[in-house]
Amino acid sequence: MTQPRRRTVLRTMTSIVAAGVLVGSLAGCAAGSGGTTAPEDIPAEGIDDGSTLTLWTRAPMERQAKLLVEAYNASHENQVELTVVPNDDYVAKVGAAAGSGGLPDLFAADIVYVPNWVEQGLFQDITAQIDQLDYKADINQGHLSAGTYEGGEYVLPFVLDLSMLMWNKELFTEAGLDPEKAPATLEEFAEAAKAVQALGKDGVSGTSTGLNCGGCLLFTWFPTIWASGAEVLNPEGTESLLASDTAKDVYSIWQDLYEAGAIAPGSEEETGATWVAQFQEGNVGIMPYPATLLSGLEFDAGVAGLPGLEGGASTFAGGDGIGISKDSKLSAQAWNFLQWMMSEDAQVEVLAKDGNAVSRVDLANNEYAAADPRLVTINEVAGEGSTPVAINFQQAFNAPGSPWLALVRGAVMGDGAEIDSDNDEITAILGQ
């Protein structure tokens, strides 16, 4: 692949489907002078001198953010004051603060917004500091790529939210399928879904998705295209490649599932708020599913990467990135938090201990993940995933009525006659 590999239903969807658009006040923002310590003068571990740092995060990441902040505050002289902002208010709050010079020292951002906010100059350049990390090559490359602009690096992974293939082992057994064997291809996935559907159990469906939710669809379908050896965007993020033969084959398999009645009722109008609910209730056989919700399942579920048309595995490396804001005057102290956040102590003893994916491939098989092989799988597949980078990603893909949504609905519930023109419309938005 040429691109770098980028506990409630509501919580998951707000981390996937970003709301709102970049407000106008950001348009005139340029990179500020930043902290009083020049970037090249910041020590490798930053400064821990008892300063008070401010950090903003979106509500979907509240649990992980609180765990990280509490652990940092308990072990450092510096203290971080955390502000959790409702997801729907976050973009406007960041925009207003950026325009008035009032951003916090550190702030996290949905990874689909990171390229835009980096280009607008909202984050300080931390290339020199990231380059000093001896495990840089093991950091999730999708998040690093999303935060790279004109050769400079501006963000690190904050919290990963990964798309994985999950199946209900009990329903697999009832359908005569091997509950311990993951479908190796998208066609095998479809066959498994049809087998569960054929059970004829009241309220049980073969699979489920959100066919009126652009974020759900890209989160779960892009990885199949990547695993098939194709791309969804050009490297510059200005051209859509979603009318390729590979992409059309993916749509065709989902169209067949739709026509076979193997997709859960309600999927046609599902906008995202409840798109995983039926699986959580044990009423769906197999589906692409957010890794962050694995621990909340009350039944035994199998876990694997999302397969391609002929094998392979990939994932959408979603979630949030984090960086030092242009307005911070405590750059060295803020870096102290960031470098600790990427350390084994934070990644393993805070995030992995709580059942979260780690942001470093070299820490994938940690002691907490080892207790559940599925977590090892999630961590390992994270290294095979991707995060698409595009300035106008929101408008092209996540927005209600986006051309991506029109493309999928036409390809799955229609005759697919407008796939090419819808793809051209995506490109037109990306290139604006």
Side-chain angles (χ1 to χ4, degrees):
M1 304 177 186
T2 57
Q3 270 184 235
R5 298 298 162 226
R6 275 228 12 91
R7 266 169 193 9
T8 62
V9 173
L10 178 60
R11 174 180 175 273
T12 303
M13 274 320 305
T14 51
S15 71
I16 298 170
V17 187
V21 296
L22 191 64
V23 294
S25 63
L26 282 118
C29 293
S33 58
T36 55
T37 304
E40 62 270 18
D41 296 330
I42 296 178
E45 294 186 356
I47 294 176
D48 184 20
D49 61 359
S51 296
T52 298
L53 298 163
T54 51
L55 188 161
W56 290 358
T57 187
R58 303 181 300 127
M61 305 303 165
E62 179 176 5
R63 178 183 177 87
Q64 293 90 341
K66 283 185 173 180
L67 288 171
L68 287 166
V69 167
E70 289 171 1
Y72 179 82
N73 288 348
S75 57
H76 290 75
E77 294 298 320
N78 292 339
Q79 296 292 287
V80 175
E81 293 182 350
L82 176 66
T83 297
V84 179
V85 182
N87 190 71
D88 291 346
D89 300 336
Y90 199 68
V91 171
K93 184 175 179 68
V94 169
S100 64
L103 287 169
D105 296 298
L106 297 147
F107 73 102
D110 188 311
I111 204 65
V112 302
Y113 282 123
V114 164
N116 204 333
W117 287 357
V118 166
E119 183 175 343
Q120 296 291 341
L122 303 199
F123 294 103
Q124 294 184 33
D125 189 329
I126 52 175
T127 307
Q129 287 67 49
I130 294 176
D131 284 347
Q132 292 180 53
L133 300 174
D134 57 13
Y135 49 79
K136 178 183 176 180
D138 296 313
I139 298 174
N140 184 274
Q141 295 300 297
H143 277 223
L144 283 183
S145 177
T148 298
Y149 178 65
E150 294 186 341
E153 295 169 321
Y154 294 82
V155 305
L156 286 166
F158 188 45
V159 178
L160 294 186
D161 195 4
L162 306 168
S163 52
M164 301 293 292
L165 185 65
M166 297 196 193
W167 60 94
N168 185 314
K169 290 186 178 182
E170 182 178 342
L171 290 176
F172 259 45
T173 300
E174 290 183 40
L177 303 169
D178 184 348
E180 304 304 325
K181 183 180 179 181
T185 66
L186 186 63
E187 189 62 53
E188 288 186 14
F189 155 79
E191 291 170 357
K194 291 178 181 178
V196 172
Q197 188 70 41
L199 291 173
K201 298 186 67 171
D202 186 34
V204 170
S205 300
T207 190
S208 183
T209 189
L211 288 172
N212 201 25
C213 171
C216 309
L217 292 163
L218 64 90
F219 186 63
T220 55
W221 290 19
F222 281 11
T224 293
I225 296 173
W226 294 326
S228 302
E231 298 294 342
V232 299
L233 302 176
N234 69 342
E236 296 75 27
T238 57
E239 179 185 0
S240 172
L241 306 177
L242 291 162
S244 67
D245 290 343
T246 296
K248 288 178 179 178
D249 285 344
V250 172
Y251 311 145
S252 178
I253 290 175
W254 277 95
Q255 181 186 49
D256 179 63
L257 283 168
Y258 178 76
E259 293 177 347
I263 299 179
S267 293
E268 299 95 330
E269 302 306 322
E270 177 56 65
T271 58
T274 61
W275 76 292
V276 298
Q278 294 186 64
F279 186 82
Q280 289 175 317
E281 294 163 359
N283 293 324
V284 170
I286 185 170
M287 71 176 291
Y289 190 81
T292 51
L293 296 186
L294 173 62
S295 62
L297 296 177
E298 297 181 356
F299 55 85
D300 192 7
V303 176
L306 290 165
L309 294 169
E310 297 182 1
S314 190
T315 183
F316 191 111
D320 281 28
I322 187 171
I324 303 171
S325 84
K326 69 180 181 65
D327 299 329
S328 178
K329 300 301 186 290
L330 297 169
S331 304
Q333 292 84 350
W335 174 252
N336 181 261
F337 175 82
L338 291 181
Q339 63 83 25
W340 170 85
M341 179 192 72
M342 294 307 303
S343 71
E344 184 171 354
D345 281 347
Q347 291 291 310
V348 175
E349 296 301 328
V350 178
L351 293 175
K353 186 176 182 179
D354 186 56
N356 297 288
V358 295
S359 298
R360 287 173 49 183
V361 177
D362 59 321
L363 300 177
N365 195 6
N366 58 74
E367 62 178 298
Y368 302 104
D372 185 346
R374 299 176 304 178
L375 297 179
V376 176
T377 298
I378 290 170
N379 285 332
E380 291 176 344
V381 172
E384 301 298 323
S386 183
T387 304
V389 176
I391 297 300
N392 296 320
F393 193 91
Q394 162 71 12
Q395 301 95 310
F397 295 102
N398 277 350
S402 69
W404 158 245
L405 196 54
L407 185 157
V408 172
R409 290 177 67 82
V412 174
M413 296 184 290
D415 60 7
E418 298 182 353
I419 291 177
D420 292 315
S421 58
D422 287 333
N423 182 69
D424 289 343
E425 180 61 24
I426 296 173
T427 293
I429 292 175
L430 293 174
Q432 290 176 358

